[in-house]
Amino acid sequence: MLDERSFTRGFSIGIAALIEDLGVAARDRGWAGSPTDLVRAARLKQELALRQAHAGQLTEACRTMAGVVRIYRRLAADEPERFHPELALALTGWGLWATQTGEPQRAASLLAEAVRLSRQLLGRATTVRPMRRIRSRLALAVALGNLANALGELGDQASAAAAAEESLERLRGLHRHSPLYRLLSRQDPLGSGHCMASALNNLGVILAELGKLDRAWELAEETTEIYRRLAALAPVVFESELARSLHNLGLTAAELGRTDTALAATQEAVALHRCLQRTAPAGHRHHLGRALCSFAQVRAAAGHDLPEALAAAEEAVTIHEELTEKLPTAFSGDLHAAYRTASAVRRALENRGEGSRRRDEPGGG
C-alpha cells in the first residue's frame, strides 16, 4: 500500500518543479515548494537533464537545466553560502550544452556567471576546509574550460585562449601543490584524468585555430595519450573522448605536414565513431560526420585514397543534412564544411585524372 506521507512528499516535490517551470513567483507558492522540496526538485531535474544529454537530446537538456538554475537562484537569494556552489555547477552544465546546440552567446553569458561565482567561492574558501577549496578550484577550472569553448565559437580566440590557459594552469597547480588532490586523483584516476585531458584538449584546439601549431600538437598528443589510458580502463565511457582527441590530433598533424600520423589518426577516429554510433546513434552521429569530413580533408590534401575520401565526404554531407534539418543553428556550419570538403575531393580527383591523361598523350613524355 502507498504510504501517504511518501505520496504527499512526492506530490510536493512535483509541484515545486512544476511551479518553477511555470515561473511562479515565490510569494505565490503558498504551501508548495518548501526549500527542502525545491532542493529535491532541482536534483531530480538535474538527473533528467543528464539523461537527456546522454541521449543526445541537448535542446531538452538545456530547457530542463534552465529550470534547475531558476530553482538555485531562488534558494541562493536566501542562502548564498549553501547554494551558490550548486548554482555555479548548474550554470556550467547549461553553458556547455548551449555551446553544443549552437547558442554560443547564451553559453558565454551563463559560463561567465559560473566563473564569477566560482571565483567568489574560491575567495571565501579557507585553508581550514581543504576539500571545499579543492572543489572550488576544480569548479572554476571546469567553468573556465567551457567558457573557452563558447568564446571560441564566438570568434574571440584571444579571450578563449586566456580562459583555456587559466583552466589548464589551475589543474596543473592542483597536481603540483596539493598532496590531498594527488591522493584523490589516485583514488579516482578516471575523473581526474578526464578533467586534465579536457583542459588540454580545449587549449590545443584554440591554439590550433590561432596558428600556434607546435604547442597545439604537443597538447593534442598529451590529450590522446591520456584518453588511450582511460579508454583501456573504461572503454564504454572514454572511447568517444579518445575518438575526438584522435580527430583533433589528425587535423593538427596534417597542418604540420605529418602526413602519416594524420592519415592514421583520422582513420582510427572514424572507426571508433562508427562503433560508437551503433550503440548510441543519437549521441555520436554528429561526431561521426565531423570525423568523416576530417578524414576526407586530410586525404584530399595529401592526395591519398581519393575515392575513399570522396565516399567519406559524401557520407558526411548526408549526416549533416539530416542534423541541420532538425537543428539548423547548431549544424549548418558543419554542413557547409562537408559541402566544401566534398567539392575539394572532387577537384583533386579531376586533377589527378587530367594529369593521367596528359601523361598518356603521345609525345607527352
Side-chain angles (χ1 to χ4, degrees):
M1 181 176 178
L2 183 64
D3 180 73
E4 184 177 348
R5 285 175 298 177
S6 298
F7 175 81
T8 303
R9 172 58 66 200
F11 182 74
S12 183
I13 293 169
I15 290 293
L18 177 60
I19 61 177
E20 290 303 325
D21 285 339
L22 295 175
V24 178
R27 64 178 178 274
D28 299 328
R29 288 207 299 263
W31 65 271
S34 69
T36 301
D37 291 339
L38 287 171
V39 169
R40 290 175 177 170
R43 289 173 182 166
L44 288 170
K45 289 170 78 69
Q46 280 179 301
E47 177 64 26
L48 173 60
L50 287 170
R51 290 175 183 237
Q52 289 169 328
H54 289 157
Q57 301 167 347
L58 293 178
T59 301
E60 292 83 353
C62 285
R63 191 177 302 119
T64 303
M65 194 59 83
V68 176
V69 167
R70 282 197 300 272
I71 292 173
Y72 281 132
R73 283 197 198 283
R74 290 185 178 180
L75 292 168
D78 296 326
E79 295 184 76
E81 192 74 15
R82 179 182 174 190
F83 291 111
H84 270 160
E86 302 289 350
L87 175 57
L89 289 174
L91 287 163
T92 299
W94 186 9
L96 170 64
W97 297 330
T99 303
Q100 295 170 349
T101 56
E103 298 180 278
Q105 192 67 58
R106 179 194 290 273
S109 176
L110 294 167
L111 290 161
E113 185 180 356
V115 167
R116 178 180 60 78
L117 282 173
S118 296
R119 290 194 195 282
Q120 291 175 359
L121 292 165
L122 186 58
R124 293 199 295 265
T126 65
T127 55
V128 179
R129 305 173 72 177
M131 282 300 300
R132 180 178 172 186
R133 188 168 182 82
I134 285 174
R135 284 197 297 269
S136 297
R137 291 170 74 179
L138 280 172
L140 177 55
V142 171
L144 282 164
N146 290 342
L147 177 60
N149 289 335
L151 292 170
E153 290 292 325
L154 288 170
D156 188 354
Q157 300 298 337
S159 298
E165 286 275 15
E166 184 181 353
S167 174
L168 180 58
E169 185 52 39
R170 285 187 175 277
L171 288 174
R172 291 202 193 277
L174 273 171
H175 278 279
R176 283 195 300 265
H177 304 305
S178 174
L180 177 57
Y181 182 72
R182 289 196 296 273
L183 175 63
L184 294 170
S185 296
R186 286 194 293 272
Q187 293 174 346
D188 180 21
L190 300 181
S192 61
H194 179 40
C195 197
M196 178 61 76
S198 295
L200 289 163
N201 183 69
N202 289 341
L203 181 57
V205 169
I206 293 165
L207 292 180
E209 290 287 332
L210 290 169
K212 299 179 180 180
L213 296 176
D214 288 332
R215 188 163 178 226
W217 164 259
E218 293 172 2
L219 293 168
E221 277 196 309
E222 191 175 352
T223 302
T224 303
E225 288 170 8
I226 292 174
Y227 278 131
R228 278 202 191 281
R229 292 198 299 270
L230 297 179
L233 295 171
V236 173
V237 179
F238 290 109
E239 279 187 344
S240 59
E241 303 293 347
L242 174 59
R244 288 194 284 274
S245 67
L246 284 162
H247 177 191
N248 294 333
L249 179 68
L251 289 178
T252 307
E255 292 190 67
L256 284 169
R258 302 173 186 259
T259 303
D260 289 343
T261 300
L263 293 169
T266 52
Q267 183 166 11
E268 187 178 358
V270 167
L272 277 172
H273 279 306
R274 283 203 191 282
C275 292
L276 291 162
Q277 192 199 213
R278 294 189 193 107
T279 56
H284 292 287
R285 193 154 175 76
H286 174 219
H287 295 300
L288 174 60
R290 282 190 164 186
L292 286 163
C293 201
S294 298
F295 176 95
Q297 289 169 358
V298 167
R299 279 152 184 76
H304 282 266
D305 306 320
L306 293 180
E308 190 177 355
L310 181 58
E314 289 175 342
E315 185 179 354
V317 167
T318 300
I319 289 172
H320 288 303
E321 282 178 339
E322 293 171 0
L323 293 171
T324 301
E325 187 175 349
K326 297 176 183 176
L327 200 59
T329 305
F331 298 115
S332 59
D334 288 316
L335 176 58
H336 291 308
Y339 283 144
R340 289 193 299 270
T341 301
S343 296
V345 177
R346 290 190 189 100
R347 284 197 301 273
L349 278 165
E350 289 168 3
N351 291 337
R352 172 173 287 187
E354 287 294 328
S356 297
R357 285 195 293 274
R358 282 196 297 272
R359 285 193 296 273
D360 289 341
E361 287 172 1

